[in-house]
Amino acid sequence: MAASRRPTLADVAREVGVSAKTVSRVLNEDGPVSAQTREQVLTAVARLGFQPNLMARNIRVGGPDTTIGLVVPDLGNPFFGAVAGGIEATVHDRGLTLLMGSSGEDPGRERDLTSKFLARRVSILMVVPSVGADHSHLKPHRAAGLPVVFIDRPAVGLSADSVVSSNRAGAHDGVAHLITHGHRRIGFIGDLPVKLYTRRERLAGYRSALEEAGLPYDRSLVTSAHDQQGAAAATAQLLGLEDPPTALFAGNNMVALGMVAELSRAKRKDVAFVAFDDVALAEALEPALTVVAQDPEEIGRTAAATALSRLDGDRSRARTVTVPTRLIVRGSGERPAPAVP
Amino acid sequence: MAASRRPTLADVAREVGVSAKTVSRVLNEDGPVSAQTREQVLTAVARLGFQPNLMARNIRVGGPDTTIGLVVPDLGNPFFGAVAGGIEATVHDRGLTLLMGSSGEDPGRERDLTSKFLARRVSILMVVPSVGADHSHLKPHRAAGLPVVFIDRPAVGLSADSVVSSNRAGAHDGVAHLITHGHRRIGFIGDLPVKLYTRRERLAGYRSALEEAGLPYDRSLVTSAHDQQGAAAATAQLLGLEDPPTALFAGNNMVALGMVAELSRAKRKDVAFVAFDDVALAEALEPALTVVAQDPEEIGRTAAATALSRLDGDRSRARTVTVPTRLIVRGSGERPAPAVP
DNA sequence: CTGAAAGCGCTAACAC
DNA sequence: GTGTTAGCGCTTTCAG
């Protein structure tokens, strides 16, 4: 059972007794073809199970490939899955397909992936940039007209479109919600590394909410974690302070999981908390988890729409689109602060 | 700012004053090249920002493209995201890239996607087949040596490898756990449509556990839902029966969310429950959620390993690999059944 | 309406 | 070490 060569245009042409060009015409509904030959060609195509080689076509036509290159930190993270879903839904009608890879937050891998995608002549490049990644190597491609969109975090060293959540305003709203319920000492558990764009923005929102309420910024109440374990530990550490916080703000969904787990383990029913980013089962918790929800699908749709407009000739200068977050009040933020002595 | 043409091998060659083949040799580390010209070529490549056109290369070399086509029902579903992550991790070293699309459980879209992928000459095709999809159109490609792997559900009308969870055994274990704690009337809320492979298998596991314990199979205790809302309604409906179940088994993670939400809403702290598929925050619930956990990453890794072995010439007959599930006992399944009168 | 020739960007197979 | 020629599978261009 030898792996038989796949049929080509020429095979079909020979089969019918016409030229390759005629077969090509039939398949692309280009120029005129007699109903007669048309029929014969289609029959032969079906019988041989012929499928035109898209790569060969693209190379001749010269245009970009009908793919979108998408680099995310982690394919398994539902946030990026939802972003990808939003992109796909938006570009599907244009016949574009997603080429995906994960960088693991490693600038080197990110660069390998983008290079590979560029070598494939993707129509559009979308990247969730890793901390420390430099994007200057994309400059010539941008100049050549390639739409590039950065997702969730802005570009570094390159002027390009980007789409982000309203991190700062969202964090502000979440923290303000806690303040409204009387809390004056609020812990912040952010992601790592501390240079991460989303962490910086969300911390800024936290600080602005404090400032607005005339509360002091206490560095000892700000800590970090990069996984669920770490977040649990950070939670325990904050609660163990001499003058501990009466409320906590989780800087992302991973942190939220660890924080909730630790509070539940320690049976601390007195601590109020709010998390950035929604999680499944948030409503089923006791108390139900109040969150600052992002809209990853909308981020994906927006990124795709932006890129498509560039593809269609929009030459206006690079813009950053902010997708709003939404405070979903479910209860966990309303535990009252204890009366101050 | 005209969109300048991207440089080609010939451009680089002209720049340096050598032949295209020499440049090719440098880039592919093929045949011998003097250190002198090598240096010059690399310089020119860097200066022009040249990136070889992978499509052109592939077409000449004739082999399949270095991509894996992956069709899933829904990109936003974390289960499939994790599967994709497992695949990518396994194939990364071979230089393969993921081409992904979502079918929305629509056999037509699934077919469009697979056809597109085949036209791109993917090295490997992986599909989570939709209910009602037929795969006979893949036969010629299989015969031509294309590795095809079905994920989460077996193939229809085609002999090909597949990788699935131990749905039957897993459901059996979950239900047996409930029986162990004294439950004799156990509700089953499965997914929809009822013809879905995973639903059938899990229901079979449910039945086998009942049978093993000498318990009757009562059809009125078996119902369905295809989203969280529906699952909540189904839960309410089961608990409203004249002779209601004292324990519930959720057939998937979506159903679990709805079920937990409804039990929490109705403040039914007496009902025991177990869910198929793990969910975030399961430990933080009260009681913590006992689940039959799947291992989607491992499913992805296994699928990839299987496909790679085919690529490497394994011609043995098609096999179905079952990835074990694991009962994670956290508490929700241990609420005792009320004493029978 | 149809076909022959040329060429997209690259590499295999031979020269030198 | 390096260049030349041919050709991957397809489409463009121009003749019939």
mmCIF file of all heavy atoms in Angstrom, chain A residues 9 21 24 28 53 57 60, chain D residues 8-14:
data_model
loop_
_atom_site.group_PDB
_atom_site.id
_atom_site.type_symbol
_atom_site.label_atom_id
_atom_site.label_comp_id
_atom_site.label_asym_id
_atom_site.label_seq_id
_atom_site.Cartn_x
_atom_site.Cartn_y
_atom_site.Cartn_z
ATOM 1 N N LEU A 9 -3.460 19.266 -10.876
ATOM 2 C CA LEU A 9 -4.255 19.830 -11.963
ATOM 3 C C LEU A 9 -3.968 19.090 -13.264
ATOM 4 O O LEU A 9 -4.882 18.765 -14.028
ATOM 5 C CB LEU A 9 -3.868 21.298 -12.176
ATOM 6 C CG LEU A 9 -4.784 22.408 -11.744
ATOM 7 C CD1 LEU A 9 -4.409 23.674 -12.484
ATOM 8 C CD2 LEU A 9 -6.230 22.061 -12.059
ATOM 9 N N LYS A 21 -4.936 24.658 -17.826
ATOM 10 C CA LYS A 21 -5.572 25.961 -17.663
ATOM 11 C C LYS A 21 -7.098 25.848 -17.655
ATOM 12 O O LYS A 21 -7.788 26.548 -16.908
ATOM 13 C CB LYS A 21 -5.123 26.891 -18.789
ATOM 14 C CG LYS A 21 -5.776 28.251 -18.763
ATOM 15 C CD LYS A 21 -5.409 28.992 -17.491
ATOM 16 C CE LYS A 21 -6.491 29.988 -17.126
ATOM 17 N NZ LYS A 21 -6.237 30.647 -15.855
ATOM 18 N N SER A 24 -8.237 24.722 -14.381
ATOM 19 C CA SER A 24 -8.095 25.854 -13.476
ATOM 20 C C SER A 24 -9.264 26.818 -13.632
ATOM 21 O O SER A 24 -9.841 27.290 -12.663
ATOM 22 C CB SER A 24 -6.773 26.565 -13.775
ATOM 23 O OG SER A 24 -6.715 27.807 -13.131
ATOM 24 N N ASN A 28 -11.882 27.859 -10.620
ATOM 25 C CA ASN A 28 -11.894 29.213 -10.089
ATOM 26 C C ASN A 28 -13.015 30.051 -10.687
ATOM 27 O O ASN A 28 -13.095 31.245 -10.432
ATOM 28 C CB ASN A 28 -10.557 29.895 -10.366
ATOM 29 C CG ASN A 28 -9.436 29.221 -9.628
ATOM 30 O OD1 ASN A 28 -9.475 29.092 -8.420
ATOM 31 N ND2 ASN A 28 -8.449 28.757 -10.366
ATOM 32 N N ASN A 53 -3.826 22.470 -4.693
ATOM 33 C CA ASN A 53 -2.791 22.774 -3.700
ATOM 34 C C ASN A 53 -2.758 24.279 -3.454
ATOM 35 O O ASN A 53 -2.289 25.066 -4.266
ATOM 36 C CB ASN A 53 -1.444 22.296 -4.230
ATOM 37 C CG ASN A 53 -0.352 22.465 -3.200
ATOM 38 O OD1 ASN A 53 -0.376 23.415 -2.427
ATOM 39 N ND2 ASN A 53 0.573 21.535 -3.168
ATOM 40 N N ARG A 57 -0.996 27.641 -5.332
ATOM 41 C CA ARG A 57 -1.803 28.752 -5.816
ATOM 42 C C ARG A 57 -1.278 30.065 -5.242
ATOM 43 O O ARG A 57 -1.039 31.025 -5.979
ATOM 44 C CB ARG A 57 -3.258 28.548 -5.395
ATOM 45 C CG ARG A 57 -4.130 29.720 -5.714
ATOM 46 C CD ARG A 57 -5.596 29.482 -5.412
ATOM 47 N NE ARG A 57 -6.424 30.127 -6.404
ATOM 48 C CZ ARG A 57 -6.583 31.440 -6.499
ATOM 49 N NH1 ARG A 57 -5.941 32.242 -5.684
ATOM 50 N NH2 ARG A 57 -7.338 31.975 -7.432
ATOM 51 N N ARG A 60 1.914 31.476 -6.725
ATOM 52 C CA ARG A 60 1.785 32.085 -8.053
ATOM 53 C C ARG A 60 1.073 33.436 -7.949
ATOM 54 O O ARG A 60 1.485 34.424 -8.536
ATOM 55 C CB ARG A 60 1.024 31.110 -8.962
ATOM 56 C CG ARG A 60 0.736 31.592 -10.368
ATOM 57 C CD ARG A 60 2.026 31.728 -11.162
ATOM 58 N NE ARG A 60 2.330 33.119 -11.383
ATOM 59 C CZ ARG A 60 2.567 33.655 -12.578
ATOM 60 N NH1 ARG A 60 2.585 32.880 -13.650
ATOM 61 N NH2 ARG A 60 2.816 34.921 -12.697
ATOM 62 P P DC D 8 7.409 19.059 -12.371
ATOM 63 O OP1 DC D 8 7.332 17.623 -12.671
ATOM 64 O OP2 DC D 8 6.739 20.040 -13.235
ATOM 65 O "O5'" DC D 8 6.886 19.306 -10.879
ATOM 66 C "C5'" DC D 8 7.471 18.648 -9.769
ATOM 67 C "C4'" DC D 8 7.140 19.451 -8.531
ATOM 68 O "O4'" DC D 8 7.977 20.610 -8.491
ATOM 69 C "C3'" DC D 8 5.708 19.967 -8.506
ATOM 70 O "O3'" DC D 8 4.923 19.093 -7.704
ATOM 71 C "C2'" DC D 8 5.817 21.341 -7.842
ATOM 72 C "C1'" DC D 8 7.309 21.690 -7.896
ATOM 73 N N1 DC D 8 7.682 22.890 -8.710
ATOM 74 C C2 DC D 8 8.301 23.983 -8.112
ATOM 75 O O2 DC D 8 8.490 23.967 -6.900
ATOM 76 N N3 DC D 8 8.652 25.047 -8.876
ATOM 77 C C4 DC D 8 8.425 25.038 -10.188
ATOM 78 N N4 DC D 8 8.801 26.097 -10.902
ATOM 79 C C5 DC D 8 7.803 23.915 -10.830
ATOM 80 C C6 DC D 8 7.440 22.878 -10.056
ATOM 81 P P DG D 9 3.677 18.391 -8.257
ATOM 82 O OP1 DG D 9 3.279 17.402 -7.250
ATOM 83 O OP2 DG D 9 3.905 18.001 -9.659
ATOM 84 O "O5'" DG D 9 2.613 19.583 -8.270
ATOM 85 C "C5'" DG D 9 2.090 20.091 -7.055
ATOM 86 C "C4'" DG D 9 1.349 21.366 -7.362
ATOM 87 O "O4'" DG D 9 2.257 22.296 -7.961
ATOM 88 C "C3'" DG D 9 0.196 21.212 -8.350
ATOM 89 O "O3'" DG D 9 -0.972 21.739 -7.762
ATOM 90 C "C2'" DG D 9 0.647 21.974 -9.577
ATOM 91 C "C1'" DG D 9 1.601 22.992 -8.980
ATOM 92 N N9 DG D 9 2.616 23.466 -9.903
ATOM 93 C C8 DG D 9 3.231 22.752 -10.906
ATOM 94 N N7 DG D 9 4.117 23.447 -11.574
ATOM 95 C C5 DG D 9 4.089 24.700 -10.966
ATOM 96 C C6 DG D 9 4.829 25.866 -11.260
ATOM 97 O O6 DG D 9 5.693 26.035 -12.129
ATOM 98 N N1 DG D 9 4.488 26.918 -10.422
ATOM 99 C C2 DG D 9 3.549 26.841 -9.419
ATOM 100 N N2 DG D 9 3.357 27.954 -8.709
ATOM 101 N N3 DG D 9 2.849 25.759 -9.135
ATOM 102 C C4 DG D 9 3.163 24.724 -9.946
ATOM 103 P P DC D 10 -2.360 21.809 -8.489
ATOM 104 O OP1 DC D 10 -3.405 21.674 -7.473
ATOM 105 O OP2 DC D 10 -2.324 20.903 -9.658
ATOM 106 O "O5'" DC D 10 -2.374 23.307 -9.019
ATOM 107 C "C5'" DC D 10 -2.625 24.365 -8.096
ATOM 108 C "C4'" DC D 10 -2.040 25.663 -8.599
ATOM 109 O "O4'" DC D 10 -0.797 25.403 -9.255
ATOM 110 C "C3'" DC D 10 -2.861 26.386 -9.656
ATOM 111 O "O3'" DC D 10 -3.783 27.253 -9.010
ATOM 112 C "C2'" DC D 10 -1.807 27.203 -10.395
ATOM 113 C "C1'" DC D 10 -0.488 26.528 -10.043
ATOM 114 N N1 DC D 10 0.296 26.108 -11.227
ATOM 115 C C2 DC D 10 1.174 27.002 -11.808
ATOM 116 O O2 DC D 10 1.253 28.137 -11.347
ATOM 117 N N3 DC D 10 1.912 26.625 -12.884
ATOM 118 C C4 DC D 10 1.777 25.383 -13.367
ATOM 119 N N4 DC D 10 2.553 25.038 -14.422
ATOM 120 C C5 DC D 10 0.885 24.436 -12.801
ATOM 121 C C6 DC D 10 0.157 24.838 -11.744
ATOM 122 P P DT D 11 -4.928 27.947 -9.814
ATOM 123 O OP1 DT D 11 -5.900 28.473 -8.844
ATOM 124 O OP2 DT D 11 -5.353 27.023 -10.880
ATOM 125 O "O5'" DT D 11 -4.156 29.181 -10.470
ATOM 126 C "C5'" DT D 11 -3.727 30.247 -9.645
ATOM 127 C "C4'" DT D 11 -2.940 31.241 -10.475
ATOM 128 O "O4'" DT D 11 -1.962 30.540 -11.292
ATOM 129 C "C3'" DT D 11 -3.774 32.069 -11.447
ATOM 130 O "O3'" DT D 11 -3.254 33.397 -11.388
ATOM 131 C "C2'" DT D 11 -3.498 31.422 -12.798
ATOM 132 C "C1'" DT D 11 -2.038 31.020 -12.628
ATOM 133 N N1 DT D 11 -1.547 29.925 -13.510
ATOM 134 C C2 DT D 11 -0.443 30.160 -14.304
ATOM 135 O O2 DT D 11 0.135 31.225 -14.330
ATOM 136 N N3 DT D 11 -0.049 29.083 -15.071
ATOM 137 C C4 DT D 11 -0.630 27.840 -15.118
ATOM 138 O O4 DT D 11 -0.182 26.954 -15.842
ATOM 139 C C5 DT D 11 -1.785 27.654 -14.258
ATOM 140 C C7 DT D 11 -2.486 26.343 -14.229
ATOM 141 C C6 DT D 11 -2.192 28.696 -13.510
ATOM 142 P P DT D 12 -4.240 34.632 -11.708
ATOM 143 O OP1 DT D 12 -4.315 35.402 -10.479
ATOM 144 O OP2 DT D 12 -5.468 34.137 -12.370
ATOM 145 O "O5'" DT D 12 -3.423 35.481 -12.805
ATOM 146 C "C5'" DT D 12 -2.109 35.944 -12.518
ATOM 147 C "C4'" DT D 12 -1.322 36.052 -13.811
ATOM 148 O "O4'" DT D 12 -1.150 34.739 -14.382
ATOM 149 C "C3'" DT D 12 -1.985 36.894 -14.897
ATOM 150 O "O3'" DT D 12 -1.182 38.044 -15.139
ATOM 151 C "C2'" DT D 12 -2.059 35.969 -16.126
ATOM 152 C "C1'" DT D 12 -1.050 34.876 -15.785
ATOM 153 N N1 DT D 12 -1.343 33.529 -16.363
ATOM 154 C C2 DT D 12 -0.439 32.964 -17.243
ATOM 155 O O2 DT D 12 0.571 33.516 -17.607
ATOM 156 N N3 DT D 12 -0.781 31.710 -17.680
ATOM 157 C C4 DT D 12 -1.901 30.984 -17.337
ATOM 158 O O4 DT D 12 -2.093 29.862 -17.795
ATOM 159 C C5 DT D 12 -2.816 31.635 -16.426
ATOM 160 C C7 DT D 12 -4.069 30.950 -15.994
ATOM 161 C C6 DT D 12 -2.496 32.869 -15.983
ATOM 162 P P DT D 13 -1.670 39.220 -16.046
ATOM 163 O OP1 DT D 13 -0.980 40.412 -15.540
ATOM 164 O OP2 DT D 13 -3.145 39.194 -16.145
ATOM 165 O "O5'" DT D 13 -1.106 38.877 -17.497
ATOM 166 C "C5'" DT D 13 0.271 38.531 -17.657
ATOM 167 C "C4'" DT D 13 0.479 38.024 -19.075
ATOM 168 O "O4'" DT D 13 0.071 36.636 -19.185
ATOM 169 C "C3'" DT D 13 -0.331 38.784 -20.131
ATOM 170 O "O3'" DT D 13 0.565 39.242 -21.137
ATOM 171 C "C2'" DT D 13 -1.326 37.747 -20.674
ATOM 172 C "C1'" DT D 13 -0.570 36.442 -20.439
ATOM 173 N N1 DT D 13 -1.414 35.211 -20.306
ATOM 174 C C2 DT D 13 -1.025 34.075 -20.986
ATOM 175 O O2 DT D 13 -0.038 34.023 -21.695
ATOM 176 N N3 DT D 13 -1.838 32.982 -20.801
ATOM 177 C C4 DT D 13 -2.982 32.931 -20.022
ATOM 178 O O4 DT D 13 -3.631 31.894 -19.931
ATOM 179 C C5 DT D 13 -3.334 34.156 -19.343
ATOM 180 C C7 DT D 13 -4.548 34.207 -18.477
ATOM 181 C C6 DT D 13 -2.541 35.235 -19.510
ATOM 182 P P DC D 14 0.134 40.419 -22.140
ATOM 183 O OP1 DC D 14 1.308 41.275 -22.320
ATOM 184 O OP2 DC D 14 -1.187 40.986 -21.789
ATOM 185 O "O5'" DC D 14 -0.038 39.568 -23.471
ATOM 186 C "C5'" DC D 14 1.040 38.706 -23.868
ATOM 187 C "C4'" DC D 14 0.515 37.572 -24.681
ATOM 188 O "O4'" DC D 14 -0.380 36.750 -23.911
ATOM 189 C "C3'" DC D 14 -0.286 38.006 -25.923
ATOM 190 O "O3'" DC D 14 0.336 37.495 -27.070
ATOM 191 C "C2'" DC D 14 -1.677 37.394 -25.690
ATOM 192 C "C1'" DC D 14 -1.299 36.194 -24.817
ATOM 193 N N1 DC D 14 -2.447 35.617 -24.074
ATOM 194 C C2 DC D 14 -2.647 34.233 -24.135
ATOM 195 O O2 DC D 14 -1.861 33.540 -24.808
ATOM 196 N N3 DC D 14 -3.706 33.699 -23.478
ATOM 197 C C4 DC D 14 -4.535 34.498 -22.772
ATOM 198 N N4 DC D 14 -5.547 33.932 -22.132
ATOM 199 C C5 DC D 14 -4.328 35.905 -22.701
ATOM 200 C C6 DC D 14 -3.281 36.425 -23.359
#
